[in-house]
Amino acid sequence: MKIIDAQIHIWGQGKPSGLHRQVPVFTAEEVLAEMDAAGVDAALIHPPASWDPDSNALAIAAAARYPKRFAVMGQFPPERVENRPLIQGWRNQPGMVGLRWPLIAAEQQAWLRDGTLDWLWPEAEREGLPIAMMGGLFLDDFRRIAEAHPGLKLILDHCGLVRTGQDEAAFAQLDTLLALARLPNVAVKATGAPHYSTQGYPYRNLHDGLQRIFDAFGPERFFWGTDITRMPCSYRQCVTFFTEELPWLGGRELEWVMGRGLCQWVGWDYDFG
C-alpha cells in the first residue's frame, strides 16, 4: 500500500508559527529522510508563506527535483488584484495540483465576506483547481462557497475541527462539520489529528470522532496526513495511528484514506503500481 501525506511544510527562512518546530530551515531532503524512516512514499507540500514568503518557489523546486515524492498545493497573496492572472495555467508549474490558504487571521477571514475573494472561487472552478482552507474556523462561510460553486473542489484542513480545541472541545462543531458531507465537492484532510488529544498515543479519545467524520465523508473524501513539523509524536506513529490503531479502518478503504483518495481529489497523477 502506498502512503501519501496530505500535508507537510518545508521552508528556508523565517520564524515558524505556533507549535511548529522552531528551526530556521527545514529542507526537502530533511523531510524525505523522515518520510523514508516512517514508510511514507510521497507528500503534498503546503508552502508556509506566513513565515517564509519564498516558500512557494521552494516547494516548486522540490517537486521538480523529486517528482515522484512531492506535489504542491501552492499559494500567492489572493487579496492583491495584480495577482489574479496567476491562477491561469497554475497547474503548469512543476508538481502543482491546487491552492491552499489557511486564512487563520481574522482580517483574512474577513476577505470571505467583504468581496475580496469573490473573484477566486469561479476562477479556480474554471481552472479545475482544488482549494484547501482551515475551514473549521469559518464553517458557515465554507458551506456558502461550496454551495455557490459546486464544480469547485474544496478541502477542509486538519479534520475540520476546532483549531485551538483539544479532546472533547476539538469536536464542538462536529454536527456542523458532518452536515458538509452532503456536498459532494467537499473533502476533509485528516491531518494533524494527534494535536487534538491531550492523551498519549494511540489517542483513543479521538477514535469515535474520527470515525464519525469518516462515516460521513467516506474513504474517497477523507485524507490521512500529518503536518509533521507540528506533531507531538513520531512520524511513524502518525502512520500507525491510522494503519494499526483504528479498528474501523482497513482493507480497500484504508488504501483510499492513506493516499489514493487524495491523489484522485487533487488530480495528482501518482503511480500506485
Side-chain angles (χ1 to χ4, degrees), residues 44-47 56 71-76 87 90-93 95-101 124 127-132 153 155 265-268:
L44 192 55
I45 301 174
H46 295 53
N56 196 76
V72 182
M73 292 287 280
Q75 63 166 274
F76 53 84
I87 202 170
W90 187 250
R91 281 186 182 270
N92 294 335
Q93 302 171 93
M96 194 63 72
V97 295
L99 296 157
R100 193 253 183 169
W101 289 281
E127 289 286 319
L129 293 170
I131 297 179
K153 288 184 175 180
I155 304 172
W265 190 262
V266 301
W268 184 355

Side-chain angles (χ1 to χ4, degrees), residues 21-252:
R21 298 177 194 175
Q22 295 301 297
V23 295
V25 175
F26 187 60
T27 67
E29 288 71 25
E30 287 175 301
V31 75
L32 281 172
E34 294 187 24
M35 289 164 59
D36 289 343
V40 175
D41 296 286
L44 192 55
I45 301 174
H46 295 53
S50 62
W51 71 78
D52 180 357
D54 296 327
S55 57
N56 196 76
L58 191 69
I60 293 171
R65 192 159 61 249
Y66 305 104
K68 296 182 179 180
R69 306 301 300 275
F70 296 129
V72 182
M73 292 287 280
Q75 63 166 274
F76 53 84
E79 75 280 14
R80 298 180 186 172
V81 174
E82 65 271 21
N83 286 338
R84 294 182 183 182
L86 293 174
I87 202 170
Q88 297 168 14
W90 187 250
R91 281 186 182 270
N92 294 335
Q93 302 171 93
M96 194 63 72
V97 295
L99 296 157
R100 193 253 183 169
W101 289 281
L103 302 181
I104 292 173
E107 59 268 25
Q108 294 172 327
Q109 292 171 34
W111 299 341
L112 299 166
R113 298 178 287 274
D114 65 11
T116 299
L117 298 184
D118 285 358
W119 72 273
L120 176 61
W121 322 121
E123 287 295 323
E125 190 173 15
R126 278 190 288 271
E127 289 286 319
L129 293 170
I131 297 179
M133 297 181 285
M134 287 288 291
L137 295 167
F138 41 87
L139 288 173
D140 290 341
D141 292 306
F142 195 96
R143 168 182 280 281
R144 174 179 53 78
I145 295 162
E147 289 177 336
H149 302 279
L152 173 61
K153 288 184 175 180
L154 293 169
I155 304 172
L156 288 154
D157 289 339
H158 298 336
C159 306
L161 300 180
V162 177
R163 179 173 178 265
T164 57
Q166 289 186 296
D167 305 326
E168 185 178 350
F171 295 90
Q173 302 180 100
L174 185 58
D175 289 341
T176 303
L177 168 64
L178 298 182
L180 287 172
R182 293 196 290 267
L183 301 174
N185 60 324
V186 175
V188 172
K189 267 196 293 161
T191 47
H195 167 76
Y196 289 117
S197 177
T198 60
Q199 297 183 7
Y201 182 89
Y203 313 110
R204 297 195 186 281
N205 64 334
L206 301 181
H207 292 199
D208 178 67
L210 290 175
Q211 183 175 8
R212 291 184 64 188
I213 300 170
F214 170 81
D215 287 346
F217 285 88
E220 296 183 11
R221 292 191 290 150
F222 183 78
F223 315 136
W224 172 83
T226 67
D227 199 16
I228 189 57
T229 50
R230 197 173 56 88
M231 289 300 94
C233 59
S234 72
Y235 211 147
R236 185 59 189 165
Q237 285 176 317
C238 286
V239 174
T240 58
F241 177 33
F242 272 59
T243 61
E244 299 178 9
E245 302 294 343
L246 302 179
W248 43 268
L249 184 58
R252 182 69 171 171

